[in-house]
């Protein structure tokens, strides 16, 4: 259980940094809250080709006003390497296109190219399944005004928990509860006033369709600090996600 203790220490450090730095110590009167209603419709897949190697595939269609207007398109892939049965490293790439939305929209559509390195650790605490995800991102973000790219660094930490609603483990044809919290912290050159970048808190009802597939429907409380450090998005988000993992070793 040593990695659980280290995870909690890291989360505490990230929260402390984001709260103490003057970039985010804005008086409440200087902050502007932007409330939005979004819908994220997602597919995830980790496909195994051998005992050690696999590939990650992901598609997210994010909509503003739940379905009416575009918010963001995210396509992500990566190469997985299983360090142990409960530890996996991923090196990957993401393509993100963001559209103007909300009361403080971007001037135009803009694109982001992203490389990421990720370590995912799994374990259990009694009936609760726990996943710790550590991710570093190298981001090239296009300006919606000049179309030039700015290089940014970001660190992310997510703690996810699942609870079976039938029995002690989650089996095929059984429901479960899922929850996670993920914090994003920017660092390095070109970070402006949003060292605290965003936080995501999620609660969902899931159903394991088969050994390979599961679906979740849930609510995401998504807080984003804009680069100016003044506008804070409070996004009430419907999430619908399908996970489908193919094991090609069985083919």
């Amino acid at each position: 259980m040593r990695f659980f203790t280290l995870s909690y220490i890291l989360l505490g450090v990230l929260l402390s940094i984001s709260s103490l730095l003057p970039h985010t110590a804005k008086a409440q009167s200087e902050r502007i809250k932007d409330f939005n209603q979004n819908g994220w419709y997602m597919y995830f897949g980790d496909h195994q080709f051998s005992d050690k190697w696999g590939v990650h595939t992901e598609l997210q269609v994010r909509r503003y006003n739940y379905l009416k207007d575009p918010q963001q398109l995210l396509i992500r892939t990566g190469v997985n390497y299983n360090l142990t049965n409960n530890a996996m490293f991923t090196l990957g790439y993401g393509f993100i296109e963001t559209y103007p939305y909300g009361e403080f929209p971007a001037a135009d559509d803009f694109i982001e190219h992203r490389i990421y390195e990720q370590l995912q650790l799994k374990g259990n605490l009694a009936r609760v399944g726990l996943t710790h995800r550590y991710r570093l991102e190298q981001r090239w973000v296009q300006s919606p005004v000049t179309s030039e790219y700015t290089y940014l660094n970001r660190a992310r930490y997510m703690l996810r928990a699942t609870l079976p609603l039938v029995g002690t483990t989650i089996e095929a044809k059984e429901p479960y509860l899922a929850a996670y919290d993920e914090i994003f912290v920017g660092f390095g050159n070109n970070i402006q006033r949003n060292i605290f970048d965003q936080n995501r808190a999620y609660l969902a009802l899931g159903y394991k369709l088969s050994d390979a597939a599961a679906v979740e429907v849930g609510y995401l409380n998504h807080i984003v600090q804009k680069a100016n450090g003044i506008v804070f998005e409070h996004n009430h988000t419907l999430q619908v996600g399908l996970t489908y993992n193919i094991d090609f070793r069985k083919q």
Side-chain angles (χ1 to χ4, degrees), residues 152-193:
L152 300 168
N153 291 291
R154 189 165 65 185
R156 300 167 54 169
Y157 168 69
M158 183 186 76
L159 173 60
R160 173 182 163 93
T162 56
L163 177 67
L165 295 179
V166 178
T168 59
T169 60
I170 302 173
E171 305 295 338
K173 310 298 183 182
E174 292 182 354
Y176 62 93
L177 293 176
Y180 72 72
D181 191 84
E182 184 173 18
I183 185 170
F184 297 58
V185 176
F187 65 94
N189 296 331
N190 298 322
I191 296 297
Q192 299 181 33
R193 301 172 71 181

Side-chain angles (χ1 to χ4, degrees), residues 132-149:
H132 299 262
R133 190 178 74 189
Y134 308 84
R135 183 181 290 174
L136 288 175
E137 296 176 331
Q138 298 81 51
R139 309 168 63 207
W140 290 265
V141 182
Q142 184 184 44
S143 166
V145 178
T146 66
S147 296
E148 296 179 351
Y149 284 86

Side-chain angles (χ1 to χ4, degrees), residues 17-181:
I17 291 173
S18 64
S19 63
L20 291 176
L21 285 168
H23 299 79
T24 58
K26 303 292 295 177
Q28 188 66 31
S29 60
E30 296 177 319
R31 293 181 177 179
I32 299 173
K33 294 184 178 181
D34 180 18
F35 293 94
N36 302 299
Q37 293 76 42
N38 301 326
W40 291 6
Y41 309 97
M42 308 171 295
Y43 154 79
F44 307 93
D46 285 306
H47 313 300
Q48 202 72 20
F49 289 96
S50 70
D51 291 342
K52 291 293 186 180
W53 296 96
V55 64
H56 176 77
T57 55
E58 182 176 341
L59 173 65
Q60 298 190 32
V61 178
R62 299 172 175 177
R63 305 289 292 181
Y64 176 58
N65 289 325
Y66 296 117
L67 273 173
K68 183 180 177 183
D69 303 306
Q71 182 201 15
Q72 198 172 64
L73 171 67
L74 184 149
I75 303 170
R76 186 156 38 213
T77 188
V79 177
N80 296 331
Y81 181 77
N82 293 317
L83 301 168
T84 69
N85 289 335
N86 295 315
M88 182 171 69
F89 176 78
T90 303
L91 174 64
Y93 165 78
F95 172 88
I96 301 93
E97 184 170 9
T98 302
Y99 307 94
Y101 70 94
E103 293 297 321
F104 300 89
D108 202 348
D109 304 355
F110 64 93
I111 289 172
E112 176 182 344
H113 299 281
R114 184 184 302 171
I115 295 173
Y116 69 97
E117 303 83 38
Q118 176 178 294
L119 177 64
Q120 184 170 280
L121 306 174
K122 293 184 177 181
N124 292 87
L125 186 61
R127 296 173 59 212
V128 179
L130 296 175
T131 300
H132 299 262
R133 190 178 74 189
Y134 308 84
R135 183 181 290 174
L136 288 175
E137 296 176 331
Q138 298 81 51
R139 309 168 63 207
W140 290 265
V141 182
Q142 184 184 44
S143 166
V145 178
T146 66
S147 296
E148 296 179 351
Y149 284 86
T150 300
Y151 174 75
L152 300 168
N153 291 291
R154 189 165 65 185
R156 300 167 54 169
Y157 168 69
M158 183 186 76
L159 173 60
R160 173 182 163 93
T162 56
L163 177 67
L165 295 179
V166 178
T168 59
T169 60
I170 302 173
E171 305 295 338
K173 310 298 183 182
E174 292 182 354
Y176 62 93
L177 293 176
Y180 72 72
D181 191 84

